[in-house]
Amino acid sequence: MLELEKREIILQGIEAVIKDMENRYSFIELEGGSLNLIYVRYKKAYQIIKEHKEDDSVIYINGGIRAYLDSYSDWDNPLLGKMGDVEKLYDKYVMKHPKTK
């Protein structure tokens, strides 16, 4: 289970990505294609972590940058930096690492 401080840090990062997407793209754009896939995954991740269920649920946010770039090739979009920050936080605080023998 995440410590409160770490939980708040990652929630803030995820929320920043969601808000950026909602401000940058129309509702119609967020309802289809790669944007929808990324948007839905971040919304689900936010809910899972907010409800303290990260140990029981699978969170799919890694790979969002690649999915975005495969569709849009917009390397200068500031959204990518925010997504990268969240992926690093996710890897550091949430992702389950295999147990070593």
Side-chain angles (χ1 to χ4, degrees):
M1 178 132 346
L2 282 171
E3 298 170 17
L4 184 60
E5 183 179 330
K6 292 176 182 175
R7 180 178 309 285
E8 287 305 314
I9 291 169
I10 197 163
L11 284 172
Q12 287 172 4
I14 293 171
E15 187 174 35
V17 170
I18 292 168
K19 284 183 179 181
D20 190 313
M21 292 184 81
E22 291 173 344
N23 290 332
R24 189 175 303 277
Y25 303 103
S26 70
F27 176 76
I28 293 170
E29 290 173 303
L30 291 175
E31 285 297 308
S34 312
L35 281 178
N36 177 259
L37 175 69
I38 296 165
Y39 182 68
V40 167
R41 286 182 176 187
Y42 273 84
K43 296 279 280 186
K44 273 188 182 174
Y46 184 87
Q47 196 62 36
I48 289 168
I49 294 170
K50 183 85 171 163
E51 294 174 357
H52 300 243
K53 295 181 179 177
E54 65 277 350
D55 291 334
D56 303 322
S57 304
V58 177
I59 301 172
Y60 295 107
I61 57 173
N62 282 349
I65 295 170
R66 174 173 281 226
Y68 180 87
L69 289 172
D70 284 348
S71 296
Y72 299 98
S73 298
D74 183 6
W75 291 84
D76 295 327
N77 189 333
L79 174 63
L80 299 176
K82 292 175 185 171
M83 290 170 66
D85 292 343
V86 171
E87 286 188 17
K88 288 176 190 167
L89 289 170
Y90 174 77
D91 287 344
K92 184 174 180 180
Y93 296 144
V94 180
M95 189 169 179
K96 294 172 179 63
H97 297 285
K99 293 180 182 178
T100 56
K101 292 182 179 180

